Amino acid sequence: MMVAPLYRLQCLLKRAQVLLLCLGIAYLMAGSILLLQRSSIRLTQSHLAGSLPPMLSLPAPPTALRTAGLAVRARSRWATIQSVSGGGAKAGRQWPASRSPGVQHLHRRWFHSLLPESPEQRVSLHRSSRHKGTYMGCFLHNASDRALGGTMLYDLRKMTSSLCQDTCSESGYQFAGLEFGAECHCGNRISSARAPEEDCSLVCRGERGSPCGGVGRLSIYKVEEQLPGHRKFRNVHYRGCFKLPKSTVDTFPVSVSQPNATTQSCIETCTDKELPLAVFKKPHCFCTWMSPVFTLNSALNDTSNSTPSASTEHDHYLVYHTPVLDSRCKERMFLPQRSSSLVALSSFPGAGNTWVRHLIELVTGYYTGSFYFDGMLYNRGFKGEKDYWKSGRSICVKTHESGQKEIEMFDSGILLIRNPYRSLMAEFNRKCAGHLGHATDTQWKSKDWPEFVSSYAPWWASHALSWLKFGRRLLVVHYEELQRALLPQLRLITAFLNVTMTEERLLCAQSNQDGHFKRSGTQQPSFDPFTPDMRHMIDSFIHSVDQALQNRNLSGLPQEYLPR
C-alpha cells in the first residue's frame, strides 16, 4: 500500500527536475539573446567611428564611475544613488595625448558611453534648424587649424546650440561653435577652412535637430547681435588706474579714438578684437594683452573698487579685464613629475570646493584631482576628475571624507570652511537642482529639508573637528575671507602647495574668478527656511568648531557666522 504513494512522489520529483532544467535553459537562452542585442547596438554605434579601432583598445576607467547627475560621490558613504561599475583595468592608467582626430574620438566616446544614448545619433543635414542665431556652416577644428580661439565649455549631457550661443554672447563673443555634440567653443573670428557639411552630423546631447559638430569639426553659429552699448558681459573686472608713458601706450596693438567713447564701448571694442585688457582715457581706447606693465602693485588706486571715477588726468588710464580669456590662462596640465605627497582640498559639501579648485587651477596651471568621479564637473573642464586620485599627478585632491583613516591617507590638507547656514543651503540647492540650479519653495517647505538639516548639520561640525584633530599639516581657509581678499588668500594657498606663482597667473585668477559653473544670481527662498530649533543646533556646532580652531592656535571663525 505504501508503494503507490512513493512511486507517485518519485514521478513528481522527476517532473520537477525536468521543469527546473527547462527553466534554466530558457533563462540562459534569454540572457544570450540580450547579450546579442547589446552587441548589435554597440556594433551600430561603432559605425560612427568609421574604420576606427574597436572599443576593446580603450583602457577601463580607474575607479567606479557614475553618470552625471547630482554630482555623485563614488566612494563616499553619503552617496545616494547606485554606481555604474567601470572595468577592471589597473588603477591610474591614462590615455596618451594625441592630436589624431580618430584617437580624440575614442577618448571622448568613452565618456559619452556613460550617458544614455539619444534616440537619434545623427541629425539630418536638410532639417530646418531651430537655433536662434545664424548657422555659418561646418569648419575644421583641430590642433593645427582651430576655427575659434576663445573660451570653451563642456556639457556632455545637456548641450544645446542655444546654451552655447548664450554662453559665448555673455562672454562677449560673436561666434559659437559646437563640437562632438557636447563641446562649446567661442570666438570673434573664424580662423580655419570650411569642411564638408556631412562632417558635422552629430546631434547635440540636449537637443535634437540642430547640427552639433563632429570629430575635429565645429558647427558654427553667429550669435544674435545686440545694439552697441547694450551688450552685457560676464567676467568684466575693473583692474585699476595706471600711469603709463606714451611710449608704452603706442605699442598696444589696437588703438581707437572716438569723441563719444565710453568705458563700455572700449570694452566692447577690445572684446571684439579678442584682447583681454581694455585701456581707456577718453576719447582714446587701447586694447592689449596682459603684460608686466600692469602689475598688481602698480595700480594707483584700490582695484577692489568696482565703480571707478570716470575722470583721468594726464597719462593716467583706466584698465579693465574684458571677458576674453588670455591664452596663457587656458594652459593647464598634470604635474610634470608625480608627487609622492598627497594634498587634500577638504570641505563640507556646499562650502565652495569647486570654486576653489577653479581658482587653484588658474593660479597654478595644474589640474586638481578628486577622491570621487563627478561627470558634471569633468564636463565643465575639470580634467582631473577622471584621474586616479592617488596618481600623484594633481596639485591637490578634492575630498569630503572626514573619517580618521581617510584623513590620514593624505600627507597634508587645505581645510575649506564656510558658514554652515550658507553651506547647507548650497548643498540642498545642488541636491535638488544640480550645480547651477536652485531649490523651489515647495522643496524648501517639504519634509526633505528638516531631514537634510538634521543629518548634514552635525556632519558640518564633525568634518571640521575631525580634520583639526587628525590632519597632519593643515592650512585653514575660510570661504568668506577668500571672497573678501582673493589675492592674499591665493598667495597663502600657493605657498602651502609649494608652487611658484607668476604675476600673470594671479591676474588670470583675478579676472576669471567666477568661471562658468558658479550658481548664477542670488535666488533665495521667499521665507527663512531655518526654524529656531535648527538655529539652536547649528549655533552650538559653530561654537564647537570655533573653540577647536582656537585650541589649535588658529584664528577662529569669521564674525558673521554667529553674533558673539
Side-chain angles (χ1 to χ4, degrees):
M1 298 206 33
M2 294 292 296
V3 175
L6 290 175
Y7 177 75
R8 285 196 294 270
L9 178 60
Q10 187 178 10
C11 292
L12 180 62
L13 292 175
K14 287 182 178 180
R15 291 194 193 98
Q17 290 176 352
V18 172
L19 179 60
L20 289 174
L21 179 61
C22 292
L23 289 174
I25 294 173
Y27 179 78
L28 293 174
M29 290 178 64
S32 300
I33 292 172
L34 181 60
L35 289 174
L36 288 173
Q37 288 177 339
R38 289 182 177 176
S39 298
S40 65
I41 291 174
R42 291 190 177 277
L43 287 173
T44 301
Q45 293 172 355
S46 68
H47 292 164
L48 292 173
S51 58
L52 294 174
M55 287 296 287
L56 291 177
S57 62
L58 287 177
T63 60
L65 300 174
R66 294 172 181 260
T67 56
L70 296 182
V72 186
R73 303 177 176 94
R75 299 182 187 83
S76 175
R77 63 181 181 274
W78 303 96
T80 56
I81 64 176
Q82 294 296 321
S83 63
V84 178
S85 177
K90 183 179 179 181
R93 294 178 61 183
Q94 296 296 317
W95 296 314
S98 174
R99 296 185 178 182
S100 166
V103 176
Q104 291 173 7
H105 173 92
L106 288 174
H107 289 185
R108 291 165 175 160
R109 182 180 166 200
W110 179 77
F111 279 95
H112 281 265
S113 68
L114 296 178
L115 306 174
E117 292 294 335
S118 300
E120 180 183 17
Q121 285 295 325
R122 291 178 177 270
V123 61
S124 171
L125 299 176
H126 305 289
R127 180 176 302 173
S128 60
S129 299
R130 292 171 292 180
H131 50 78
K132 57 184 180 181
T134 303
Y135 181 62
M136 305 299 294
C138 183
F139 292 83
L140 296 174
H141 189 76
N142 50 46
S144 57
D145 295 301
R146 300 193 68 79
L148 300 176
T151 190
M152 186 176 178
L153 170 71
Y154 298 86
D155 197 330
L156 292 183
R157 205 169 173 82
K158 298 179 181 178
M159 179 59 70
T160 67
S161 61
S162 296
L163 171 62
C164 183
Q165 289 179 58
D166 289 343
T167 300
C168 294
S169 178
E170 290 175 357
S171 298
Y173 294 101
Q174 298 181 21
F175 295 100
L178 294 119
E179 182 181 12
F180 209 78
E183 299 176 7
C184 175
H185 301 260
C186 305
N188 280 320
R189 64 177 67 92
I190 302 174
S191 305
S192 67
R194 283 185 177 272
E197 203 61 35
E198 55 267 22
D199 289 359
C200 291
S201 57
L202 292 181
V203 69
C204 289
R205 275 285 170 183
E207 175 184 40
R208 304 181 198 173
S210 296
C212 212
V215 181
R217 302 291 186 270
L218 288 188
S219 295
I220 296 183
Y221 300 85
K222 184 170 175 47
V223 302
E224 290 182 336
E225 294 186 7
Q226 294 178 311
L227 295 175
H230 289 77
R231 294 164 66 183
K232 295 181 180 180
F233 300 135
R234 291 173 54 183
N235 290 334
V236 173
H237 297 280
Y238 175 59
R239 179 67 188 84
C241 180
F242 290 79
K243 184 176 181 180
L244 303 173
K246 187 175 184 302
S247 57
T248 299
V249 174
D250 288 342
T251 64
F252 294 160
V254 174
S255 173
V256 179
S257 295
Q258 293 179 339
N260 58 347
T262 64
T263 55
Q264 171 72 13
S265 65
C266 185
I267 291 169
E268 289 186 8
T269 297
C270 297
T271 301
D272 291 341
K273 299 295 183 182
E274 294 189 1
L275 290 169
L277 290 182
V279 183
F280 180 70
K281 177 185 177 183
K282 192 173 184 178
H284 304 292
C285 173
F286 303 91
C287 308
T288 187
W289 295 280
M290 286 190 290
S291 73
V293 172
F294 305 101
T295 60
L296 293 169
N297 298 322
S298 60
L300 301 181
N301 60 334
D302 183 5
T303 61
S304 65
N305 179 13
S306 60
T307 57
S309 170
S311 63
T312 55
E313 300 177 357
H314 307 298
D315 51 357
H316 293 70
Y317 296 83
L318 300 178
V319 179
Y320 294 84
H321 284 292
T322 73
V324 177
L325 184 63
D326 189 277
S327 59
R328 288 164 291 192
C329 301
K330 302 177 189 176
E331 297 172 1
R332 302 178 198 180
M333 61 181 181
F334 289 104
L335 294 175
Q337 294 182 341
R338 295 180 184 269
S339 173
S340 59
S341 176
L342 282 176
V343 182
L345 176 60
S346 180
S347 72
F348 175 77
N353 198 300
T354 302
W355 179 51
V356 176
R357 288 179 66 186
H358 166 74
L359 293 173
I360 289 175
E361 291 191 2
L362 279 178
V363 79
T364 66
Y366 296 119
Y367 288 126
T368 57
S370 178
F371 189 72
Y372 321 100
F373 175 83
D374 188 334
M376 177 69 75
L377 293 182
Y378 177 84
N379 301 343
R380 296 285 177 176
F382 290 92
K383 299 304 181 185
E385 283 291 320
K386 72 179 179 67
D387 195 52
Y388 180 47
W389 70 279
K390 294 182 74 173
S391 68
R393 305 199 317 153
S394 303
I395 190 67
C396 61
V397 178
K398 163 190 171 179
T399 180
H400 298 306
E401 302 301 313
S402 55
Q404 179 179 355
K405 179 181 178 182
E406 288 79 9
I407 294 173
E408 291 177 346
M409 289 191 295
F410 293 94
D411 301 287
S412 58
I414 299 171
L415 175 60
L416 178 63
I417 302 178
R418 185 183 185 184
N419 187 318
Y421 290 100
R422 298 291 185 185
S423 292
L424 290 169
M425 294 182 69
E427 179 63 4
F428 190 71
N429 277 323
R430 186 195 65 81
K431 283 187 170 293
C432 293
H435 280 285
L436 303 178
H438 294 83
T440 64
D441 276 359
T442 301
Q443 290 170 318
W444 290 109
K445 294 176 182 178
S446 70
K447 66 177 182 179
D448 294 336
W449 169 242
E451 292 176 356
F452 174 84
V453 172
S454 64
S455 173
Y456 274 64
W459 182 20
W460 177 87
S462 65
H463 176 274
L465 294 173
S466 295
W467 275 90
L468 290 171
K469 181 178 181 180
F470 301 115
R472 300 174 186 172
R473 176 173 169 261
L474 211 58
L475 172 69
V476 177
V477 175
H478 298 290
Y479 178 90
E480 292 76 14
E481 292 294 336
L482 194 59
Q483 285 185 312
R484 276 193 295 265
L486 178 68
L487 300 184
Q489 291 294 310
L490 286 180
R491 288 191 175 99
L492 289 175
I493 292 173
T494 52
F496 183 81
L497 294 172
N498 196 27
V499 175
T500 302
M501 181 179 56
T502 65
E503 190 87 4
E504 290 177 350
R505 279 288 176 183
L506 201 57
L507 288 171
C508 285
Q510 183 189 49
S511 58
N512 299 279
Q513 55 189 271
D514 292 336
H516 287 289
F517 57 87
K518 204 172 181 181
R519 191 172 282 111
S520 61
T522 57
Q523 180 179 335
Q524 300 289 340
S526 60
F527 63 99
D528 183 0
F530 293 98
T531 65
D533 288 341
M534 291 179 184
R535 290 188 174 277
H536 179 74
M537 173 180 64
I538 295 171
D539 289 350
S540 67
F541 292 143
I542 290 175
H543 283 301
S544 298
V545 173
D546 182 64
Q547 187 62 49
L549 286 167
Q550 295 182 38
N551 290 343
R552 192 158 167 168
N553 296 322
L554 298 170
S555 59
L557 295 175
Q559 292 293 323
E560 65 263 30
Y561 280 31
L562 182 69
R564 318 221 172 163

